[in-house]
Each structure stands twice: as structure tokens, then as C-alpha cells.
Amino acid sequence: MSGSFTATVRQLHRQLGQILAAPVLNSESVPLELVRAAHEIRDGAEALMAAAVQQARGAGQTWQDIGEVLGVSRQAAFQRYGKPIDPRNGGVITSSPLPGAIELARAVIDDHAHGRWAEVNERFDDTMRAGLTEEGLAEAWAYLVGLAGVYERHGETDVVRAGEFTITNTPLAFEAGDFVARITFRDDQTIAGLYILNPDAADGIGGITAT
């Protein structure tokens, strides 16, 4: 085994040993300690998975092979664990989504729902701000309400890294219809793209409303 993989295994083994030796699992007075312990184990297991994937790749296994073991497509496996090389400079392209992207996306959706167009506009990068006004945002949202009624709630947000951007997809439930909010973030947390899509179009490149 590689040094990195071995070190990760040892660290996870040490964490498990410490947790199992502690009274936390038998204590009803500190339930949050159990949550914290489980969170640490999950983080350690994810680090172990990443190290195992890199070892498998080093041994010649394809992303198709790895995806089949994980129950996902080869692209999904690559997007989560791959280390793509930027052809422009030879450096490793960041493959991890922007931290906090889910919270950012939900904040943008909440701003839409409450008509806070200035707040949405402030999150735009220069290109978006130059091309879309607060009035344009309000008009696009009103168009959706005219199609499907009052906005009711959002679903779970999916996040994926795509080159220099992080893309979030969040289901939106309206009174008489469903849509998907697709928001593209830069690493500085500004918005580089904002679309409200029909669910059927969310897997493609188009949408009924672009904001």
C-alpha cells in the first residue's frame, strides 16, 4: 500500500479506537458528542475512500471500474475523486465544489422568494451584473409565478464541480408546477450563471427562463 493510503487507514483506525474506548456511545446525557464522533468517522472514511481510489488508479484501474464499484457513472466518480490537470499550466484543477455552495444557493432562492432583487444583484459577477438588472430579475420571477402560481418550497440541492465553477441544482415547488434553480458560482462566491429550468430541461442545456 502507498504511504498516503496507509497513513489514512491508521488515522481512521486510531479515531475509531478512541471513540469506542470513550463513554460517549453509552451516554444518554451527551447526544451531541455522538453526532460529533460520527461526523469525525465519516470524514475519516471519506478520506480513506479518496486514498483508496487514488491507489486503484495508480494500479491501472479505470474510472469505469471504480464507478461500477461505487454504483455511479465513471464521470461521477471522476468528478468526485479525480485530479484533472489543467492543460494551460500543468497544475491540478480543483475538483472539490465551493465550500458552502448549498447554503449560498438557498440564500439566492430565498432572496428570489422574498423579492430581494438588490441582494441577488450584489452576488453577481461583473458580467452578470452588466447583463441583468434588478428589474429583469423581478420580471423573470413574475413570469414563473404567472405560469405556476405561488412559490412554496425548495428541495435538496445537488452540487457538482465543473472546471473553474461550482454548479448547484435545487428543485423548486410552486403552487401548480415544478422547476429547478441552476446557479453557477465562482470560487469567490459570485454568481456567474442563474437559470430557472423545467425539470426535463435540467439535464440539458436549455431552460424556459434565464435570469
Side-chain angles (χ1 to χ4, degrees):
M1 292 189 294
S2 69
S4 174
F5 183 79
T6 301
T8 304
V9 170
R10 288 176 176 171
Q11 180 178 1
L12 182 58
H13 184 268
R14 184 164 53 251
Q15 288 177 324
L16 285 169
Q18 292 172 344
I19 291 171
L20 293 174
V24 60
L25 295 181
N26 298 316
S27 175
E28 296 181 357
S29 61
V30 285
L32 284 180
E33 289 302 316
L34 179 57
V35 174
R36 184 175 293 107
H39 181 69
E40 291 176 355
I41 292 175
R42 185 184 66 179
D43 287 348
E46 181 59 28
L48 180 60
M49 176 66 76
V53 169
Q54 292 306 314
Q55 180 167 286
R57 286 289 296 157
Q61 300 299 315
T62 68
W63 287 110
Q64 181 68 37
D65 296 333
I66 294 168
E68 289 177 357
V69 171
L70 298 179
V72 299
S73 68
R74 63 182 182 181
Q75 183 178 16
F78 175 77
Q79 288 175 340
R80 183 159 189 173
Y81 298 109
K83 294 183 178 181
I85 302 300
D86 192 330
R88 297 168 297 181
N89 54 32
V92 176
I93 298 176
T94 300
S95 58
S96 299
L98 172 68
I102 291 177
E103 291 74 15
L104 288 170
R106 291 178 179 175
V108 173
I109 293 168
D110 190 59
D111 286 340
H112 272 74
H114 291 86
R116 296 191 288 260
W117 311 121
E119 283 82 349
V120 177
N121 187 266
E122 287 177 0
R123 298 176 185 273
F124 286 167
D125 65 11
D126 292 340
T127 301
M128 286 288 293
R129 190 174 294 116
L132 184 58
T133 64
E134 294 174 29
E135 290 76 15
L137 285 165
E139 181 179 353
W141 191 255
Y143 174 69
L144 285 176
V145 172
L147 283 178
V150 176
Y151 168 75
E152 296 180 339
R153 63 187 179 279
H154 65 74
E156 294 296 318
T157 300
D158 291 329
V159 184
V160 64
R161 183 82 183 193
E164 299 177 353
F165 304 100
T166 293
I167 300 173
T168 63
N169 289 291
T170 307
L172 305 179
F174 286 73
E175 183 180 4
D178 297 321
F179 298 93
V180 174
R182 175 169 295 171
I183 308 174
T184 301
F185 292 98
R186 296 185 182 276
D187 285 342
D188 62 2
Q189 299 188 351
T190 59
I191 295 174
L194 174 56
Y195 299 89
I196 306 297
L197 309 172
N198 280 314
D200 291 341
D203 291 331
I205 61 174
I208 63 164
T209 303
T211 61

